[in-house]
Each structure stands twice: as structure tokens, then as C-alpha cells.
Amino acid sequence: MQFERKDILDMESLSAEEITFILDTADQLKEISRRPVKKVPTLRGKTVVLFFYEPSTRTRSSFEIASKRLSADSISISSSSSSMVKGETLLDTARNLEAMNPDVIVIRHYSAGAPHMLARLLKTSIINAGDGMHAHPTQALLDLMTVREKKGSIKGLRIAIMGDISHSRVARSDSIGFIKMGADVVIAGPPTMIPKGIESLGVTVAGNADEAVKGADVIIMLRIQKERQKSFLYPSDREYSKVFGLNPERLKKADKKVLIMHPGPINRGVEISSEVADGPYSIILDQVTNGVSVRMALLFIVAGGVRNVDVD
Ligand code: CP
């Protein structure tokens, strides 16, 4: 399969065949991170700009590591250190960056659609590293990679996604991705955190946490995004933990080989107990490891032009 694409913006615009190609490429590139010298010349001479308007630990550092492992030059810009603080618009900032001829701009922005706007108006490749409450395609792809790696296949799995669904770009992108790859997705959370019409994505809404967890092959826990909530949507952390948190007792209802995932950052003792987060079913750190490989694959696809994978 040939897969060349200028931008990676969301999961809607990727076909199941393209997702499989990205995951296969990431699988091949993963080996580089296990070498004593973790570097190949594949993107030598290419420039990647990391443009983050929201805080990030995992996404930003893994894009930076991914760029370095492929020998691309990368620079990092945050909103507080850019001329945004002097009133420059996003588009003007991006056009000025483009004038320096980078090959890829990786952007995280608090406004839904910001990466899509830049992709329309700039010639430079754009990768969406999370836009508002809309999409986080690179997180969904690393989640798909991690589940496929652990289970062998995604088709037919029961994936439970629990927590603050309405503020979660991960919930949206994961739901779209897992359904495209043939899984059944069930979501659960406080009614105040379930968006109206979410069923249109193809997910089932469970009545409560126990119903969602029952027989689940994979459970993806999400944190409550207090920073995006305009009012209190649940009585207290303690109450939330009791009703929707994942603890060893609730976990017993899942499949015996269940995988526990979380995009991070986790709030221990709120949506997930430490026993579960650090327990034998947790693959939370595997997700982080695979984040580097998926982001290497995406940089390779948009900046390298994939004809065949040559990583020697
Ligand atoms: N999962 C995720 O996007 O984490 P960061 O916000 O730390 O990048």
C-alpha cells in the first residue's frame, strides 16, 4: 500500500487500511528505540516545529524524541514563550514559522479546529497533537498500537471508556479508531459528562460503571478535566471515585485478561486506584513507550513520504 499524506488531523479522515499501515510502520520503527544507538538517518535535514499552546508531558516529549530518533532537527515553542503573548494571532505566528521552511508543524491548541485551519492555509505538514475537546489522533493511534500488540487483533474486542467523556478528545478519537478497527466501544461516566448524541459515533452508553466494565477486554480510564469544566459536574472526588472509579473490586467484573489503559495524566485515587494503575493488568507505561514509535511513524509518513520502510 502507498500512503502519503500532508497532514494528520483526526481519526475520521483515516481509513482502517491507513490506520493499519501506520500501526505496521510504528511496529517496524519500535526496534530502533531498543538499539544501543537509538538513531537512524531517515529524516536527516528535515525540521520539525513543536508548537504547544497547552501543557503536555507525554505528547510533546515523545514527538521530540521521535524527531531525534529519525535525525530530524526539532524546535519547541510554547504559548508563554512565543509572540502570542504580545497579541500575535495563531495564523500569523504559524505563517512566520512557515517562512523558515520547516517540514512539519506539530500543534496542540486549546481551540478545536486550529490544526485543521493551519492545514488548509499552510503548505507545511500539520500534525494535530490535541485540539481542544475535539481530537487527539496520535493518542488514539498509540492506544490502537498497544492493544493490537497485546491482544494480537482489535476486531471483536469490548473496549470500555470511562470518565469525563464530554471534555475528552481522547474519548472521541479512541472511539472512532477502535470502531473503525472492528471493536465494540461502550462508554460510561456521570450523566453530566456524557455528551448528547455520542451514540452517533457508534458507541453504546452504559447505565453505570459496573455495566461498562462487565466482560471488558480493555478499560480506558479518563481523568476529570476540571480545567475545562465551567461548573461542578459531580459532588466530590470521593463520590466520583466510589461511583465511577476503577478499583480492584470493580475490576473483577472485567475479562480475566483485561488491559487497563489511561492516556495520562492520572489522578490517583480519583478515577483509578494505585493498586489498579500499578497492577498486573495495567499497560499505561506501554502506551507511553508506543507513543514514541507511533509519532516516529507519523513524522516518517508526512515528512519522509512512505514508499517502503527503510530504517537501516
Ligand atoms: N496523553 C496526553 O496527551 O498526555 P500529555 O497531555 O502529557 O501530552
Side-chain angles (χ1 to χ4, degrees), residues 8 48-50 52 56-70 72 74 104-108 127-130 136-139 291-292 294-299 302:
I8 301 289
V48 177
V49 176
L50 307 175
F52 276 64
S56 168
T57 298
R58 284 145 287 266
T59 311
R60 184 175 179 150
S61 52
S62 64
F63 263 116
E64 190 153 353
I65 289 170
S67 304
K68 290 186 191 326
R69 293 211 171 141
L70 294 174
S74 66
V104 186
I105 295 176
V106 176
I107 179 166
R108 169 170 288 190
I127 299 181
N128 182 1
H136 197 346
T138 69
Q139 179 70 44
V292 174
V294 157
R295 287 158 182 142
M296 286 169 79
L298 294 173
L299 291 171
V302 300

Side-chain angles (χ1 to χ4, degrees), residues 146-219:
T146 310
V147 171
R148 191 178 79 157
E149 185 178 81
K150 300 287 177 191
K151 294 281 189 191
S153 164
I154 294 165
K155 199 170 164 52
L157 295 177
R158 178 179 165 87
I159 315 285
I161 305 179
M162 298 216 298
D164 182 359
I165 307 292
S166 54
H167 296 98
S168 175
R169 54 196 176 207
V170 176
R172 276 181 52 76
S173 292
D174 269 356
S175 296
I176 294 166
F178 277 107
I179 288 168
K180 269 194 185 169
M181 300 309 284
D184 294 320
V185 174
V186 56
I187 61 163
T192 47
M193 297 183 198
I194 305 284
K196 276 200 180 69
I198 184 85
E199 293 88 347
S200 66
L201 295 181
V203 304
T204 305
V205 180
N208 56 51
D210 289 343
E211 191 184 311
V213 166
K214 196 172 170 197
D217 299 294
V218 176
I219 304 174

Side-chain angles (χ1 to χ4, degrees), residues 123-140:
K123 290 192 185 76
T124 310
S125 287
I126 304 293
I127 299 181
N128 182 1
D131 61 325
M133 299 187 284
H134 174 228
H136 197 346
T138 69
Q139 179 70 44

Side-chain angles (χ1 to χ4, degrees), residues 73-103:
D73 298 310
S74 66
I75 64 151
S76 207
I77 300 169
S78 63
S79 52
S80 59
S81 64
S82 79
S83 286
M84 285 283 288
V85 292
K86 301 177 197 163
E88 190 168 59
T89 66
L90 168 65
L91 186 55
D92 280 336
T93 305
R95 281 195 166 129
N96 277 271
L97 290 171
E98 182 169 66
M100 296 179 233
N101 287 326
D103 298 280

